[in-house]
Amino acid sequence: MAQFLTEDEVRDADKIALGFNAKEKGIQQGTGQITTFNQLGIKGVSDKPDGWYIPDNKNAVAILLETKNSKEDIGTKKIVDEIKKNCQILIDAGWKKVVGILHNGYKTAGFLNNEPIDIPNEIQNKKYYIDLVNEQGIPTQKIYDVTRSINNNLHVNFGVKNLYHRMIFTACALVAQRYGARLESLKDRDFSMLHGQILST
Protein backbone atom coordinates (compact mmCIF):
# COMPACT_ATOMS: atom_id res chain seq x y z
CA MET A 1 0.00 0.00 0.00
CA ALA A 2 1.31 3.44 -0.96
CA GLN A 3 2.45 5.73 1.84
CA PHE A 4 0.04 8.58 2.64
CA LEU A 5 1.42 11.98 1.65
CA THR A 6 0.06 15.25 2.98
CA GLU A 7 -0.54 18.15 0.62
CA ASP A 8 2.45 19.97 2.16
CA GLU A 9 4.69 16.95 1.51
CA VAL A 10 3.54 16.74 -2.11
CA ARG A 11 4.05 20.48 -2.66
CA ASP A 12 7.51 20.49 -1.02
CA ALA A 13 8.68 17.55 -3.14
CA ASP A 14 7.22 19.06 -6.31
CA LYS A 15 9.01 22.36 -5.70
CA ILE A 16 12.36 20.57 -5.87
CA ALA A 17 11.40 18.23 -8.74
CA LEU A 18 10.07 21.11 -10.86
CA GLY A 19 13.03 23.34 -10.02
CA PHE A 20 10.76 26.08 -8.67
CA ASN A 21 13.32 26.73 -5.91
CA ALA A 22 15.82 28.38 -8.31
CA LYS A 23 16.46 32.07 -8.91
CA GLU A 24 16.15 33.09 -12.56
CA LYS A 25 16.14 36.55 -14.09
CA GLY A 26 12.76 37.54 -15.52
CA ILE A 27 10.94 34.64 -13.79
CA GLN A 28 8.78 34.48 -10.68
CA GLN A 29 8.70 30.95 -9.32
CA GLY A 30 8.00 29.16 -6.09
CA THR A 31 5.42 27.26 -4.08
CA GLY A 32 3.30 28.04 -1.05
CA GLN A 33 -0.19 28.64 0.25
CA ILE A 34 -0.16 32.34 1.09
CA THR A 35 1.16 34.03 -2.08
CA THR A 36 -1.64 35.56 -4.16
CA PHE A 37 -1.72 36.29 -7.87
CA ASN A 38 -1.93 39.94 -6.83
CA GLN A 39 1.48 39.60 -5.14
CA LEU A 40 2.76 37.97 -8.34
CA GLY A 41 1.80 41.06 -10.33
CA ILE A 42 -1.73 40.23 -11.49
CA LYS A 43 -3.58 43.09 -9.90
CA GLY A 44 -6.80 42.54 -7.98
CA VAL A 45 -6.64 38.72 -7.97
CA SER A 46 -6.57 37.21 -4.48
CA ASP A 47 -6.55 33.52 -5.56
CA LYS A 48 -3.49 31.56 -4.38
CA PRO A 49 -1.72 29.02 -6.59
CA ASP A 50 0.17 26.15 -4.91
CA GLY A 51 3.08 26.56 -7.30
CA TRP A 52 4.00 29.00 -10.04
CA TYR A 53 6.54 29.59 -12.78
CA ILE A 54 5.62 32.92 -14.35
CA PRO A 55 7.97 34.48 -16.91
CA ASP A 56 7.89 38.24 -17.52
CA ASN A 57 7.68 37.43 -21.25
CA LYS A 58 4.03 36.55 -21.79
CA ASN A 59 4.87 34.57 -24.93
CA ALA A 60 7.03 32.14 -22.93
CA VAL A 61 5.54 29.06 -21.23
CA ALA A 62 4.05 29.64 -17.76
CA ILE A 63 3.40 26.77 -15.34
CA LEU A 64 0.93 26.54 -12.46
CA LEU A 65 0.83 23.72 -9.92
CA GLU A 66 -2.08 22.50 -7.82
CA THR A 67 -1.26 19.87 -5.18
CA LYS A 68 -3.49 17.59 -3.13
CA ASN A 69 -2.86 14.93 -0.52
CA SER A 70 -2.41 11.40 -1.85
CA LYS A 71 -5.93 10.28 -0.90
CA GLU A 72 -7.61 12.97 -3.02
CA ASP A 73 -8.93 12.05 -6.46
CA ILE A 74 -7.46 14.65 -8.82
CA GLY A 75 -9.94 13.64 -11.50
CA THR A 76 -12.94 15.18 -9.73
CA LYS A 77 -14.61 18.15 -11.40
CA LYS A 78 -14.06 20.36 -8.34
CA ILE A 79 -10.29 19.81 -8.35
CA VAL A 80 -9.94 20.07 -12.13
CA ASP A 81 -11.98 23.30 -12.07
CA GLU A 82 -9.57 24.68 -9.46
CA ILE A 83 -6.45 24.33 -11.64
CA LYS A 84 -8.38 25.53 -14.70
CA LYS A 85 -9.56 28.63 -12.83
CA ASN A 86 -5.98 29.49 -11.84
CA CYS A 87 -4.71 28.89 -15.39
CA GLN A 88 -7.47 31.10 -16.77
CA ILE A 89 -6.26 33.93 -14.52
CA LEU A 90 -2.88 33.84 -16.31
CA ILE A 91 -4.49 33.41 -19.73
CA ASP A 92 -6.76 36.41 -19.11
CA ALA A 93 -3.71 38.41 -17.98
CA GLY A 94 -2.06 37.80 -21.36
CA TRP A 95 0.09 34.67 -21.08
CA LYS A 96 -0.21 32.68 -24.31
CA LYS A 97 0.95 29.23 -23.15
CA VAL A 98 -0.10 28.15 -19.66
CA VAL A 99 0.58 24.63 -18.39
CA GLY A 100 -1.50 23.49 -15.43
CA ILE A 101 -0.31 20.52 -13.37
CA LEU A 102 -2.45 18.65 -10.83
CA HIS A 103 -0.57 16.25 -8.54
CA ASN A 104 -1.40 14.19 -5.47
CA GLY A 105 2.02 12.60 -5.04
CA TYR A 106 1.20 9.55 -7.16
CA LYS A 107 -1.05 10.70 -9.98
CA THR A 108 -0.73 13.70 -12.26
CA ALA A 109 -3.03 15.49 -14.70
CA GLY A 110 -1.83 18.11 -17.17
CA PHE A 111 -3.47 20.93 -19.10
CA LEU A 112 -2.28 23.34 -21.77
CA ASN A 113 -4.44 26.48 -21.93
CA ASN A 114 -7.06 24.41 -20.06
CA GLU A 115 -7.08 21.56 -22.61
CA PRO A 116 -5.93 18.14 -21.31
CA ILE A 117 -2.42 17.02 -22.29
CA ASP A 118 -0.61 13.74 -21.61
CA ILE A 119 2.17 14.05 -19.03
CA PRO A 120 3.97 11.45 -16.88
CA ASN A 121 2.63 10.65 -13.39
CA GLU A 122 6.05 11.46 -11.94
CA ILE A 123 6.68 15.21 -11.72
CA GLN A 124 9.40 16.35 -14.13
CA ASN A 125 11.66 19.39 -14.12
CA LYS A 126 9.95 22.50 -15.53
CA LYS A 127 12.14 22.24 -18.66
CA TYR A 128 10.28 19.06 -19.63
CA TYR A 129 6.92 20.88 -19.71
CA ILE A 130 8.36 23.93 -21.46
CA ASP A 131 9.93 21.73 -24.15
CA LEU A 132 6.72 19.70 -24.46
CA VAL A 133 4.74 22.83 -25.28
CA ASN A 134 7.36 24.38 -27.54
CA GLU A 135 7.78 21.17 -29.55
CA GLN A 136 4.09 20.74 -30.34
CA GLY A 137 4.68 21.98 -33.87
CA ILE A 138 3.38 24.83 -35.95
CA PRO A 139 -0.39 24.78 -36.63
CA THR A 140 -0.09 25.77 -40.29
CA GLN A 141 -3.82 25.53 -41.10
CA LYS A 142 -4.72 27.78 -38.16
CA ILE A 143 -2.05 30.28 -39.21
CA TYR A 144 -3.41 30.26 -42.77
CA ASP A 145 -7.01 30.75 -41.57
CA VAL A 146 -6.10 33.62 -39.25
CA THR A 147 -3.93 35.30 -41.89
CA ARG A 148 -6.72 35.05 -44.46
CA SER A 149 -9.19 36.53 -41.96
CA ILE A 150 -6.84 39.45 -41.21
CA ASN A 151 -6.23 40.02 -44.92
CA ASN A 152 -9.96 40.04 -45.68
CA ASN A 153 -10.68 42.41 -42.79
CA LEU A 154 -8.01 44.87 -43.87
CA HIS A 155 -9.27 44.76 -47.45
CA VAL A 156 -13.05 44.84 -46.90
CA ASN A 157 -13.54 46.62 -43.57
CA PHE A 158 -10.57 49.01 -43.52
CA GLY A 159 -10.09 49.71 -47.22
CA VAL A 160 -6.44 48.68 -47.46
CA LYS A 161 -6.50 47.77 -51.18
CA ASN A 162 -2.81 47.04 -51.82
CA LEU A 163 -1.93 43.40 -51.03
CA TYR A 164 1.64 44.30 -50.04
CA HIS A 165 0.40 46.99 -47.66
CA ARG A 166 -1.90 44.42 -46.02
CA MET A 167 1.00 41.96 -45.68
CA ILE A 168 3.28 44.62 -44.17
CA PHE A 169 0.55 45.80 -41.78
CA THR A 170 -0.12 42.21 -40.63
CA ALA A 171 3.60 41.54 -40.09
CA CYS A 172 3.99 44.78 -38.10
CA ALA A 173 0.93 43.90 -35.99
CA LEU A 174 2.40 40.47 -35.17
CA VAL A 175 5.75 41.99 -34.18
CA ALA A 176 4.00 44.64 -32.07
CA GLN A 177 1.92 41.95 -30.34
CA ARG A 178 5.10 39.91 -29.70
CA TYR A 179 6.62 42.90 -27.92
CA GLY A 180 3.66 43.63 -25.68
CA ALA A 181 1.29 45.87 -27.66
CA ARG A 182 -1.83 44.14 -26.23
CA LEU A 183 -3.70 44.65 -29.51
CA GLU A 184 -6.59 42.47 -28.33
CA SER A 185 -7.50 45.29 -25.91
CA LEU A 186 -8.28 47.45 -28.97
CA LYS A 187 -11.06 45.18 -30.19
CA ASP A 188 -14.08 47.19 -31.39
CA ARG A 189 -11.95 50.37 -31.58
CA ASP A 190 -11.32 52.21 -34.81
CA PHE A 191 -8.55 51.43 -37.29
CA SER A 192 -6.53 54.57 -36.49
CA MET A 193 -6.15 53.51 -32.82
CA LEU A 194 -4.90 50.08 -33.87
CA HIS A 195 -2.55 51.67 -36.41
CA GLY A 196 -1.24 54.12 -33.80
CA GLN A 197 -0.63 51.38 -31.22
CA ILE A 198 1.37 49.32 -33.73
CA LEU A 199 3.45 52.34 -34.76
CA SER A 200 4.21 53.37 -31.15
CA THR A 201 5.25 49.80 -30.25
Side-chain angles (χ1 to χ4, degrees):
M1 187 170 173
Q3 176 190 348
F4 173 74
L5 300 170
T6 67
E7 185 176 331
D8 286 346
E9 288 173 321
V10 175
R11 188 173 50 254
D12 290 347
D14 288 355
K15 179 178 186 174
I16 294 164
L18 284 160
F20 282 6
N21 53 345
K23 295 276 185 208
E24 293 177 59
K25 189 177 179 183
I27 306 286
Q28 293 185 83
Q29 60 185 324
T31 59
Q33 287 188 300
I34 59 171
T35 303
T36 66
F37 280 107
N38 190 56
Q39 291 169 299
L40 294 169
I42 301 161
K43 299 298 177 205
V45 181
S46 60
D47 298 72
K48 300 170 186 173
D50 287 334
W52 57 91
Y53 173 88
I54 305 175
D56 293 345
N57 176 0
K58 292 184 176 183
N59 291 302
V61 177
I63 304 170
L64 291 177
L65 174 70
E66 183 68 34
T67 56
K68 300 296 174 190
N69 72 57
S70 59
K71 286 188 177 174
E72 293 226 43
D73 178 2
I74 61 168
T76 64
K77 183 179 185 309
K78 180 184 175 193
I79 291 174
V80 169
D81 285 350
E82 199 172 340
I83 186 68
K84 285 186 172 184
K85 175 181 60 99
N86 284 346
C87 289
Q88 194 61 49
I89 289 166
L90 281 191
I91 293 166
D92 290 345
W95 276 267
K96 306 285 189 286
K97 296 175 276 193
V98 180
V99 173
I101 302 170
L102 269 175
H103 191 227
N104 70 359
Y106 297 106
K107 291 188 177 174
T108 307
F111 303 88
L112 173 59
N113 292 346
N114 283 340
E115 294 296 323
I117 55 170
D118 287 328
I119 59 172
N121 271 330
E122 187 175 318
I123 290 290
Q124 308 293 307
N125 183 273
K126 63 198 169 200
K127 187 176 183 316
Y128 171 87
Y129 305 102
I130 293 167
D131 290 345
L132 181 70
V133 170
N134 288 334
E135 289 170 7
Q136 287 206 338
I138 298 170
T140 51
Q141 186 60 45
K142 184 175 182 184
I143 291 169
Y144 172 76
D145 292 341
V146 169
T147 304
R148 184 177 58 194
S149 171
I150 292 167
N151 184 55
N152 290 343
N153 255 314
L154 288 171
H155 183 70
V156 176
N157 297 329
F158 299 113
V160 182
K161 302 296 181 202
N162 186 303
L163 173 63
Y164 293 112
H165 292 173
R166 293 195 303 265
M167 289 167 61
I168 291 167
F169 185 88
T170 302
C172 291
L174 290 169
V175 172
Q177 180 78 7
R178 163 72 174 82
Y179 289 99
R182 299 293 308 269
L183 300 178
E184 65 273 11
S185 67
L186 298 176
K187 191 176 180 183
D188 301 325
R189 303 285 180 89
D190 64 20
F191 180 73
S192 62
M193 282 193 81
L194 177 65
H195 187 253
Q197 181 70 52
I198 291 168
L199 284 175
S200 69
T201 304

